[in-house]
Structure formats: structure tokens, C-alpha cells
Amino acid sequence: METTYTLADGTEALQCPTLVEDDRTGMSPETLKRAFLDNLFYLQGVNRTNASPYNYYVALAYTVRDRLLRRFLKSTDTYKQEKVKLVCYFSAEFLMGRYLGNNLANLGIYDLIKETIEELGLDFEEIIEQEPDPGLGNGGLGRLAACFLDSLASLEIPAIGYGIRYEFGIFHQMIQDGWQVEIPDNWLRFGNPWELPRPDESVEVKLGGRTEIYHDDKGQERVQWLPERRILAIPHDTPVPGYKTNTVNALRLWKAEASESFNFEAFNAGLYDQSVAEKMDAETISKVLYPNDNTPAGRELRLAQQYFFVAASLQDLIRIHLKSHKNLQNFHETAAIQLNDTHPAIAIAELMRLLVDENGLEWSKAWTITQKTFAYTNHTLLPEALERWSADLIGKLLPRHLEIIYLINHFFLDDVRTWFPDNEELLGKLSIVEEAGWGNKQIRMANLACVGSHSINGVAALHTELLQKDTLKEFAMLWPEKFYNKTNGVTPRRWILLSNPQLSALFTEKIGD
């Protein structure tokens, strides 16, 4: 039996069976057309008489996202049921590129969608071009992170990427009156149809303040952090599908918000700027990718950004772990955290704080768990380019973490003295804390990453070789077993299938898909 189905905007009518295919997940051309035009009408309030190319893009994005979500939630449920070990990629950058074309290719429906859209008399290429490119990275670091997420999903490895949901990505460059000028990349101007906000899974991140020693109910001496301010981290999930698999992993990006976004008393007193000051201060943390660090305020903001996303991510991972385990004694068996360069290296001190201060583990046990949890990817061969932070700045923003870093360094150097007695030069090169003269101490984040990780890698065979021979040679002498090479890969779907389908077809014809 056939029945007439009128589309939401009234311009299309199709003969459909009484048992209509599920509009949310169906793949027939008729169902895709229905879903596409329904998303145009019901989600955006426009019809084909007044729709813009961008309206069509949003409608198509939601149509594709609907077909991702079942796989996404199934993958998540499977990970929970099987109690899998998660690969957790911590990165300040994720240069993911445009999602629509890549998702169509990975789902294996690029040609089907293209034909369906063109049957409606629309220009598919024009619709594809409407998507803004999220500039959440500025080069190889962010693209490597994106390629790894794609590969992990394609290999059906349980994984999650953690980073920052920057409101403004890497700046655009323009020439005005003969001069190069930079303008903000407002990629979220019209929203983002691919992300799923999860405000119910928000966590609190602390900054500033001081520490205080106290004794717990067993008489043990403990340290608590009394922060100056607290910021909410709101997770936003983006599904990352594998190539022609049922696995869809997540990219979880954190947005910063104030715990109290509006001061009603200040507003009533006429102090309008002050009434929203806390909100503006908090949101600054996830405002811009790589704020200028030529000023003290800029450096402080960068450090706050780095700590913000790793603190939120570790809390998230501990929450996931404790859903299926009684305590954190085996945390390293459920989470493998890869540090993409040194930007997230403060996570080593943060995990120690969470294990020792918040969960009462003994230092030695916590340190074993921490080392087994983290691995470190180095991107920099030049010693002078390795990230350093002023101890004074860390002490101001993260007072407990500075204490923990000093303790990590103390125990580490004691071990080095045992292994290599009377070698002060070696101690100076290996130390996490660098004496920079005039009492100015610097914290070497690469050294912290090396000491706190069980695996260290470069991003090309020559790079890794030079790390061992030059940049990190003292660490390679101590722990040669830690060093492995992981050559940068690329995502062939994006760089070949999407950009050159004819070449891709030739490859498939000659050597297989």
C-alpha cells in the first residue's frame, strides 16, 4: 500500500510505503530527501523559497549527524560494557578540517548524498563550501592530532580526544592598504551543527590561591588547595567516525564559563561592568587559540588554558573510571594518555594532585600510576624552543602544582645521584627545575614530560634519532627503553579521496579500496 508523504515545506511529495523508513537513520534517497527538507524547515524555520546555501548546509549536516549518532552512542555503550582501556589524546590543538565531506566519505555515502541533493536541483559543491573550517590549530601539531583521531576510529580502537573549544581559532590574514593585518576566526558565528553540548557533565577547575597543611581522620599529614577562583568547564562532543566501520569516537572540547555568571547585587548598584566581570574573566580562557604571550597577562592566560583543559579532562576520565571500578589503584589500566607536545604536560602534576590530595593514595603508588598512564610526543628539536614556565607564574596560578613539581624533581634527582654519583653537570641537564639566575627558576616542561611518562616519541624516524642523540640525549641515556618512533601519518580519505576522487578511483581499481 502506498501513501502520499508531504515534506515539511510543502514543495515535495513522495509516494512512500505505509511503513515509512526511519527518517533519522534511513539511507534510501527518498528518506534522505525527507530528512534533509525536514531539517531545513523544523530546525531552522525556513523553506525552499527563502533558504540560503548556508541553510542547506546546516540541514545536510544535521541529516548526516543523525546517521552518525546511533553508531556514536553504540560505540560509547560498548566501551562502558566491555570496560575497555581508552586512548586519550591530550592536545592544545585539533585541526580537524571541515566535517561534512570527511564524514560522508568515512560513512561511505558521499556519492549517495551528492546524487540525492542534486536530484533536488541543488548545487552540492556550493553547499559543501558553506562549512567554516574550524581553525583550532595552526599546523602540524593540530593536524597530527586530527589524523590520529581518524586513524584510531578507523582501526576501531576506543579513543577520545581532549582539548579546548576556542571561540576564535587561528587568525585569518588579510592585506589592507598594503599591510598584513590579522582578523579573528569567528568559526562559531552561526553555531556548529556537529557538536553535542553536555552541560550535565561539566566539571570545576580551580586557579590561584594558596595551599594549607592539615591532618586527616587517620592523623596523616595532607595538603589541600584553597583556590582563589573556580571556573566551569563545559564539554562539547563531536563524533569522529572511522572509515567504513561502525566505530565512532569522540572529540571532547571544553568551554570555560563562570560558576556565577551574573552578579545581581552589583547590577542593582549600577555597577554594570562589574556584574558580568566574573563571566568575562572566565570565558577568556577558551576565547582565543594561542593568545599573545609577549605580556605577563598573556603568559598567564596561556598557562591557565593549558591547565584548564587537562584538569577538566582528568576529572572526566576519573569519573568514567569510577563508574566501573571501586578506586583509582588501577587507573592506568583504563586510560592511556598521550601528551601532544608539552602544552598538556602539567597534567602529570595534576594527576598526582588528584591521586594524592583528593583520593588519599601514597606518593609512590600515585607516581607509579602516573608514569604508567602518560606517554609524550615531542615536536621540537631545538632546546631553546622547548617550553618553559616561570616558577613564580606557576606558583601564582597553580600553587599546589609547583609544590608537586618540586617533589617530583627532588625524588628524581635523588635517583640520578644514586645512578651517577658526583655528576653535577648531568643533574643540571636532567633537572625539571632550571636555575635561570638571580633567583629566577624556570620549570622545564619537556623534562617533566620525560620523567612522568613511560614512552617518548618523535614524529619521524630522523626526528626521534636526533632526540636521542641531541635534544633529549641525557634522558635517552637514562631510559633508552622509553624511546620509540611514531612517524607522522596523514588521513588518506581527506587528502586523496576528497581532494582527488579520480586518483582515488584509480588506486582502488589497481590495488583495492
Side-chain angles (χ1 to χ4, degrees):
M1 178 180 175
E2 299 282 315
T3 184
T4 301
Y5 181 93
T6 304
L7 293 168
D9 67 356
T11 60
E12 298 285 341
L14 296 168
Q15 294 296 318
C16 304
T18 302
L19 296 175
V20 180
E21 185 181 21
D22 182 1
D23 287 0
R24 289 292 190 179
T25 57
M27 288 296 196
S28 70
E30 292 79 12
T31 303
L32 289 169
K33 289 176 187 175
R34 269 202 314 275
F36 172 70
L37 292 171
D38 279 354
N39 285 334
L40 185 70
F41 186 85
Y42 289 112
L43 292 183
Q44 301 177 81
V46 296
N47 55 35
R48 295 195 61 182
T49 60
N50 60 1
S52 68
Y54 185 81
N55 292 141
Y56 286 129
Y57 155 70
V58 172
L60 184 55
Y62 278 115
T63 303
V64 175
R65 196 188 80 171
D66 285 345
R67 283 146 185 81
L68 274 176
L69 287 183
R70 179 168 291 181
R71 300 182 190 191
F72 180 44
L73 295 176
K74 180 64 175 175
S75 297
T76 303
D77 289 342
T78 300
Y79 298 163
K80 290 177 182 176
Q81 292 165 9
E82 299 297 325
K83 299 180 181 180
V84 300
K85 186 172 187 176
L86 272 176
V87 175
C88 312
Y89 205 80
F90 281 22
S91 180
E93 300 182 31
F94 283 96
L95 197 57
M96 299 299 291
R98 294 173 177 175
Y99 288 102
L100 180 54
N102 192 64
N103 288 345
L104 290 173
N106 280 4
L107 289 171
I109 59 171
Y110 191 97
D111 291 337
L112 171 63
I113 292 290
K114 184 175 187 292
E115 292 170 8
T116 301
I117 293 301
E118 289 177 347
E119 283 177 8
L120 290 170
L122 300 173
D123 186 334
F124 177 74
E125 297 299 333
E126 182 184 29
I127 292 174
I128 284 279
E129 286 300 313
Q130 299 306 306
E131 181 175 7
D133 190 342
L136 307 185
N138 69 354
L141 188 81
R143 190 54 226 167
L144 175 69
C147 287
F148 271 143
L149 291 189
D150 182 282
S151 295
L152 287 161
S154 297
L155 293 170
E156 300 190 283
I157 295 173
I160 182 168
Y162 282 109
I164 300 177
R165 182 182 179 269
Y166 301 104
E167 184 178 341
F168 297 97
I170 193 68
F171 54 80
H172 292 297
Q173 293 175 317
M174 298 179 63
I175 302 297
Q176 291 183 355
D177 300 324
W179 292 92
Q180 177 180 295
V181 295
E182 299 162 358
I183 61 173
D185 169 30
N186 192 5
W187 71 284
L188 287 170
R189 180 170 59 253
F190 300 123
N192 176 13
W194 299 104
E195 67 182 10
L196 300 158
R198 309 284 199 193
D200 56 311
E201 296 183 6
S202 301
V203 297
E204 191 176 72
V205 175
K206 299 180 283 190
L207 291 171
R210 59 185 177 85
T211 62
E212 182 177 274
I213 296 174
Y214 73 101
H215 291 84
D216 62 20
D217 53 5
K218 296 179 181 179
Q220 296 292 320
E221 188 176 278
R222 299 287 183 189
V223 179
Q224 64 177 338
W225 178 13
L226 305 173
E228 180 183 7
R229 56 190 175 124
R230 300 170 187 268
I231 293 163
L232 283 180
I234 316 295
H236 291 67
D237 291 347
T238 300
V240 180
Y243 179 63
K244 294 185 178 179
T245 73
N246 288 323
T247 297
V248 179
N249 288 327
L251 169 61
R252 172 158 283 198
L253 302 178
W254 299 96
K255 176 187 178 184
E257 289 188 2
S259 54
E260 295 292 338
S261 60
F262 183 69
N263 187 328
F264 193 66
E265 290 183 6
F267 186 86
N268 279 343
L271 304 173
Y272 304 128
D273 290 344
Q274 188 177 324
S275 69
V276 292
E278 185 178 345
K279 172 181 169 64
M280 293 190 298
D281 184 50
E283 291 179 355
T284 299
I285 290 179
S286 58
K287 185 70 71 175
V288 177
L289 170 70
Y290 293 152
N292 190 325
D293 62 354
N294 290 330
T295 65
R299 288 191 289 275
E300 183 173 332
L301 178 56
R302 277 211 189 186
L303 180 58
Q305 285 184 331
Q306 294 180 6
Y307 176 68
F308 166 76
F309 91 85
V310 302
S313 303
L314 285 172
Q315 288 183 66
D316 195 47
L317 290 172
I318 287 175
R319 175 188 58 82
I320 293 170
H321 175 89
L322 291 177
K323 282 185 175 181
S324 53
H325 298 83
K326 293 181 180 179
N327 54 50
L328 297 174
Q329 298 282 343
N330 64 334
F331 178 73
H332 56 284
E333 296 175 4
T334 63
I337 301 176
Q338 190 74 30
L339 304 173
N340 194 24
D341 213 1
T342 54
H343 307 115
I346 195 66
I348 292 169
E350 171 66 0
L351 182 56
M352 285 297 292
R353 186 190 72 82
L354 291 169
L355 294 175
V356 174
D357 294 354
E358 302 290 337
N359 290 276
L361 272 68
E362 294 302 318
W363 179 275
S364 59
K365 177 62 178 177
W367 184 239
T368 298
I369 293 170
T370 296
Q371 284 188 309
K372 287 182 177 180
T373 298
F374 288 106
Y376 162 50
T377 297
N378 173 279
H379 286 264
T380 307
L381 280 173
L382 297 174
E384 61 271 20
L386 294 174
E387 190 176 39
R388 291 170 169 81
W389 288 108
S390 158
D392 290 341
L393 176 56
I394 294 180
K396 174 186 175 184
L397 202 64
L398 305 168
R400 179 56 178 150
H401 298 76
L402 183 61
E403 294 174 356
I404 290 172
I405 289 169
Y406 283 154
L407 279 172
I408 292 171
N409 196 50
H410 170 74
F411 293 129
F412 169 56
L413 294 184
D414 276 354
D415 286 340
V416 176
R417 288 188 184 95
T418 301
W419 302 329
F420 300 95
D422 303 320
N423 193 336
E424 292 300 318
E425 182 182 358
L426 180 63
L427 287 174
K429 291 179 179 179
L430 290 171
S431 177
I432 299 168
V433 181
E434 179 183 33
E435 299 289 347
W438 298 99
N440 182 21
K441 295 180 179 179
Q442 300 282 316
I443 305 302
R444 298 161 163 165
M445 302 309 286
N447 291 32
L448 176 62
C450 289
V451 174
S453 299
H454 65 271
S455 179
I456 303 164
N457 71 278
V459 293
L462 180 58
H463 179 201
T464 304
E465 181 183 340
L466 291 172
L467 284 178
Q468 293 172 278
K469 288 183 177 179
D470 186 14
T471 311
L472 300 176
K473 66 180 180 181
E474 290 80 18
F475 289 102
M477 178 189 69
L478 279 186
W479 298 305
E481 71 281 0
K482 282 191 179 185
F483 283 78
Y484 295 90
N485 179 61
K486 299 290 183 291
T487 299
N488 264 13
V490 296
T491 306
R493 272 72 64 186
R494 183 177 292 278
W495 302 122
I496 301 176
L497 180 58
L498 287 177
S499 62
N500 196 335
Q502 290 177 308
L503 179 61
S504 178
L506 177 62
F507 286 156
T508 300
E509 177 187 338
K510 298 300 182 183
I511 63 175
D513 186 17

